[in-house]
Structures are given as structure tokens and as C-alpha cells.
Amino acid sequence: MLTGKRVLLIIGGGIAAFKSLDLIRRLRDQGAEVVPVLTRAAEEFVTPLSVSALAAQKVYRDLFDLTDEAEMGHIELSRAADLVVVAPATADLMAKMASGLANDLASTLLMATDKRVLIAPSMNVRMWEHPATQRNLTVLHGDGILVAGPDKGAMACGEFGPGRMAEVPEIIDAIDAALRDGPLKGRHVIVTSGPTHEPIDPVRYIANRSSGAQGTAMAEALRDLGATVTFVTGPADVAPPPGVDVVRIETAREMLAAVQAAHPADAAVFAAAVADWRVENASGSKMKKDGSGKAPALEFAENPDILATVSQMDEGRPGLVVGFAAETDDVVENATAKRLRKQCDWIVANDVSVETGIMGGDENAIVLIDAEGADVWPRMAKRDVARLLAQRIADAVGAR
Ligand code: C5P
């Protein structure tokens, strides 16, 4: 059942738009509220009146409809939903989404939303198989967009093959899975991710090579188990996942402040590569060569250790604190010592020696260290590591 869930349904301009009328009915049968949005092209296939009647809601059609803006702006509209569904998702809508265009109400909502987006593609088989659409699909997968279908079969245009919009029950199942209450529902988890930037002067900084991939995968996996995730991220290469509360910071001290402001939390996962040192005598104006040939002397101060600070909180410590340890030798010994020194509950340790190919690669081989000892995991995709770790976190948080 989808009782109390609000779905923002964007209906694109394709022949399958008629199935969206049935989708509205079935969603409402399951207790969901459906807020419909029609693209201009969709109005050629279904009328606003029929959509509005079935949804028992106002239909949103125009970006510059002043009444709508007065009632509910497009930003608010995009966020007041639990899930955004695009059905049918035309080749044009997919292309707009993949390239970030926002030139009408539907595409603007899709850019502005902080919620998960599920698309049900629908188009002619040639259009579906076109390299441009397949390229866009890859981009959308990478952006965390959920995809239902398309199915294979006879099409309205007389051709046969993949491209037919998924049947309504299949779309409902995908919506149900996206909205399902996971074991971490009602739980708040803080995740840190990415590198930090420590300024030398207004234009230069000290950084590290962290891409943010590990932290992002953790945030995604925890979100998928229903957690409310506060994602505190430095300037990472990987975009933050949808459906999490993103707090962007640059320095270690800003990261600590953001983590403290996000409390209370049921668990905290510290995947960020935080700079150990900051430049204490950072200049307020750009440092220049003075012709003497003398390099400026940078002085360093130690940054706060966020993991240790949170692990050692007297009051309001999260029930479970997880740190990471990237080591090049004596992985288990070093990581075990780190767990005790920082006083976190778990350390996720891995060997990042060049020969393992783990740093910058897609796979990881971790050792999970807790008070009981060390558990060696087989090598697997980083996403799978994140999924299994999130499940362990859910078990531990649930048991507290
Ligand atoms: O001491 P080391 O940097 O190896 O510890 C790694 C773990 O500590 C990671 O979980 C990292 O996010 C965290 N850490 C932190 N604040 C720091 C340094 C590390 O939270 N200043």
C-alpha cells in the first residue's frame, strides 16, 4: 500500500500517456496522492480535464502560471512529493534530464527536485536503441534515476521491439519499491564524504585525491534502507546522491561544525578523507613572489579529528560510529589500533597499496573491525560493499 505517499507524476507526450490515466487510478486505489504535471506535448494525447478528474487534483501545466507560483512555486512543488515519476518518459524528456535542460515546467521540476525520480521510458524501438538515448540512459543511471521498463512488444507505431512503456502494475511495483519503508525508516544517519580543501590563500588550497565514491555509495545504500541521511561532503568528484540532505563544506573545521549541527543521529559514518593539517598562517590576500627567491613558510596546525570527536562525545553520541581506515601495510593491526585510539565502534579497513588496484578502482576488499575482532570480506564491487555495510548498520541500529 502507498497510503499517505505523494507522487508527483509528470506525463510526457507519448502515445502511452493514455496508460498514465490508469496509473493515476491504481495509485489512488493504493492510497497515494497523485499530483499531475502535463507537458505541452502530453496535452495532445490526454486532456488536462481527464487527468485532473482522475487525480482529483489541480493539473500543473505551465512554468509561468502566476496563480500556481502564488499558491506553490515550482521548487516547492518538486519537493513536496515523496517520489517523482515520469510516465511516459519520452526520448526528449530523457535527453533533457540527461543534459540538465530546464525550459518548461516538467524539466524544471526534474532539475529542482531533491527527491528520487523514477522514469518509465516509452518510445519507438529505433528511438530507444539510438546511441543518443542509450547514452542518456547511462547518464541517468549514473545520476541515480530509477528506471522501470521499457517492455518489448508490438508498438502503436506498428514496429516491434523494446520501447513500449512498462505495464501499469510493473510501474506500481517500481514505485512501491522506491517508497518502501526500510529497516532504517525514522533513523537519522550522518555520512561524511569526499576530500577537504584547506586554504593557503584565497586562490590556493591543500587537498587530497579522494573522489567521494565510497561515501556516496554509503549514503545511497543507507537511503535505500529508509534512513534520513545527512550527507556532509567536501568538494568531491562524484555528485551527491538524490534523496539525501546535502551539506557542502570545504574545510575540516566546517565539516566538524556541519556534523555537530546535524546531531542527534542514530549512526554516523565517517568516509571523508579529512586533511590532518590546515595552514595556520593562510593569507587573506593572494600570496605573490617578492623577487627574493624565498618561498613563503607555511605553518600548519592540526585539524580536529571529526571521527574521534564524535566517538568521544559525552552526551548525545550516535549509537553507532563507523570510521574508515585506508592502510598500505599491517592493515588489521593498524586499523585495530585506530579503532581503539579514536574510540569508534567499527572501522572499515582496506589495503590501498597500488598493487591491489583498489584506489580509484570499482572493487574493494575490506576488513570490518569491531570489539569482537576482524571480519575479512571477499573482494566485491564498491556498491556491494556499501549495501552490505548499510545492512549491517541497520541490524546494529535496530538492535539498540
Ligand atoms: O587517522 P585516519 O585519517 O587514518 O582516520 C581515518 C578515519 O578518520 C576516517 O573515517 C576519516 O573520515 C576520519 N577522520 C576524521 N577527521 C580527521 C581525520 C580522519 O573524521 N581529521
Side-chain angles (χ1 to χ4, degrees), residues 192 270-276 303-307 323-325 338 341-342:
T192 71
F270 293 96
V274 185
D276 288 327
N303 266 332
D305 188 313
I306 305 163
L307 172 62
F324 281 74
K338 191 169 289 180
R341 197 167 59 242
K342 303 210 184 200

Side-chain angles (χ1 to χ4, degrees), residues 182-205:
L184 285 171
K185 180 169 167 58
R187 303 294 195 157
H188 178 213
V189 184
I190 300 169
V191 178
T192 71
S193 181
T196 62
H197 284 183
E198 306 295 337
I200 297 171
D201 69 15
V203 294
R204 304 180 179 97
Y205 55 83

Side-chain angles (χ1 to χ4, degrees), residues 265-284:
D266 297 286
V269 178
F270 293 96
V274 185
D276 288 327
W277 306 93
R278 67 175 178 276
V279 180
E280 197 168 32
N281 59 342
S283 168

Side-chain angles (χ1 to χ4, degrees), residues 105-157:
L105 180 60
S107 52
T108 305
L109 292 170
L110 287 160
M111 283 286 281
T113 190
D114 60 352
K115 297 300 176 339
R116 300 209 80 187
V117 177
L118 169 77
I119 64 171
S122 167
M123 66 200 72
N124 167 272
V125 56
R126 291 285 162 95
M127 292 174 78
W128 174 251
E129 286 174 348
H130 194 285
T133 302
Q134 291 303 309
R135 210 163 43 235
N136 292 335
L137 183 67
T138 306
V139 170
L140 295 176
H141 275 307
D143 288 348
I145 304 292
L146 303 165
V147 183
D151 289 347
K152 213 182 205 167
M155 305 190 141
C157 54

Side-chain angles (χ1 to χ4, degrees), residues 54 95 135 142 162 169 197 206 221 223 252 278 328 350 352 359 373 386 395:
L54 284 168
R135 210 163 43 235
H197 284 183
I206 294 175
R223 172 205 65 196
R278 67 175 178 276
T328 50
N350 61 1
V352 290
M359 202 135 80
D395 294 344

